[in-house]
Amino acid sequence: MRISIIGGGPAGLYFAILAKKNFPNWIIEVAERNGPNDTFGWGVVFSDRTLQYLEEYDKISHDEIVRQFETWENVDVVHCDERVTIGGNKFSGISRLVMLNILQARCEELGVSIQYHKEITDLNAVKTSDLIIVADGVNSIIRRSYPSYFEPELSSRSNKYIWFGTHKLFHALTLTFRENEAGVFASHSYKFNKTTSTFVVECDPETWEKAGFASMTEDETRAYLEKVFEKDLSGNPLLSNRSMWINFLLVKNRHWVHDNIVIMGDAAHTAHFSIGSGTKLALEDAIALFKELKTEPEVKLALVNYESNRKPKVEEYQQFAYDSLVLFENLPRYMDLTPLEMAYKMMTRSKKLTHEKLRQRDPEFVANYEKVVLASK
Ligand SMILES: Cc1cc2nc3c(=O)[nH]c(=O)nc-3n(C[C@H](O)[C@H](O)[C@H](O)COP(=O)(O)OP(=O)(O)OC[C@H]3O[C@@H](n4cnc5c(N)ncnc54)[C@H](O)[C@@H]3O)c2cc1C
């Protein structure tokens, strides 16, 4: 069996690892348009559940990832200069580049061929393969070039966001809300190694316009946001790595499979970064596809099974993420909430976490909310 994978991100590389490890005779080629160290972005987030899967499916890369990541137990919500801490939320962060380097090394150890600086824009380049995996990320060229195969539904959302790093260590997943003369800003921050945190800033289009970001340089943007989050950064600068404002692209595809071609990871679906799940979904796609190919040797049938089993799960997750996205898009209307109310709103924003489930995670927080907020209504 010859498999061509377009895109050496977490989805493509992790599938390659699982497939080659279990089927050493398969020829697996990954085409990656960048070099092995070219990626940008800061830390990515995993839930405990995802880590369990990684341990189950490839302990070697799991152990290496665990050696390099940072974990936290809490979500902190900072609003009106007050911090509310909610326990029982275990997550881990790792540098995107470190994680990719681990997956790349594991691929090479197993005999997967990764061809760097090779861009594939035409499926004819891989047409002799038995299975073609399209894992070329959120702006997938293949998805765009073959719309009739996948029937993409794309929606560019209204809020603007920008990824930064900082040496200020956020020991919890910290959601911070700040207001100035231009409007409301939210930051999502978490540590991902011993010295660095991811710091994503998000704001609505009106705030963005009023602040004048359209005519600011990268340095001016950083300086402006360092001022907005002055109290939170404790004097640490924001670190830019080709950081630029973007609009979140919500990606769905009506079909994930066409003949012997399957689309996965961000190319197939995105979920708002506020629930920290892009990498998680990409890795879990890879596991799900591998499982189908393991039980069904006929490629086309395995792909049909993959689509019918995996797609509903991802769509359910996308719905949770959508609820979260909408809340952040409407943030100005929640700025009058007290810090405790805001914390509760944030925790229950995706409807996945009900009041009772939240109580299981942090009984003290829920008891306090019931006493202070619910009892006064
Ligand atoms: C630059 C960047 C920075 C990010 N930073 C963060 C972060 O800090 N925190 C976080 O939680 N999430 C971050 N994310 C989101 C998260 O990493 C993604 O949700 C996750 O990586 C999705 O995995 P994937 O394998 O589907 O796609 P990607 O990780 O996007 O990988 C796709 C790969 O395909 C390659 N490629 C694209 N087109 C072609 C082509 N035509 N031919 C060959 N190769 C191609 C790309 O170079 C890329 O390596 C970031 C994503 C990106 C793209």
Side-chain angles (χ1 to χ4, degrees), residues 6-11 31-34 40-45 96 118-120 135-137 141 163 190 265-266 278-279 282:
I6 304 171
E32 168 53 53
R33 71 172 167 201
N34 289 328
F40 47 107
W42 300 92
V44 296
V45 181
R96 177 177 153 87
K118 180 168 179 180
E119 185 170 49
I120 301 222
D136 54 350
I141 293 171
W163 295 96
Y190 48 88
D266 271 9
T279 308

Side-chain angles (χ1 to χ4, degrees), residues 189-260:
S189 51
Y190 48 88
K191 62 182 174 181
F192 64 85
N193 64 27
K194 298 264 176 276
T195 56
T196 331
S197 300
T198 292
F199 197 89
V200 185
V201 180
E202 172 171 20
C203 67
D204 58 74
E206 295 76 28
T207 303
W208 193 84
E209 283 296 333
K210 245 174 128 183
F213 289 121
S215 58
M216 279 187 206
T217 63
E218 204 175 312
D219 283 348
E220 285 165 346
T221 303
R222 264 190 318 117
Y224 185 102
L225 293 173
E226 281 165 5
K227 183 121 193 21
V228 172
F229 292 100
E230 199 171 9
K231 290 181 182 161
D232 312 293
L233 290 166
S234 322
N236 290 279
L238 289 175
L239 310 170
S240 176
N241 184 354
R242 292 196 255 169
S243 302
M244 56 187 143
W245 289 104
I246 39 181
N247 293 70
F248 175 72
L249 185 66
L250 182 57
V251 175
K252 295 182 180 188
N253 285 273
R254 188 182 281 260
H255 309 291
W256 285 7
V257 169
H258 176 85
D259 199 23
N260 64 338

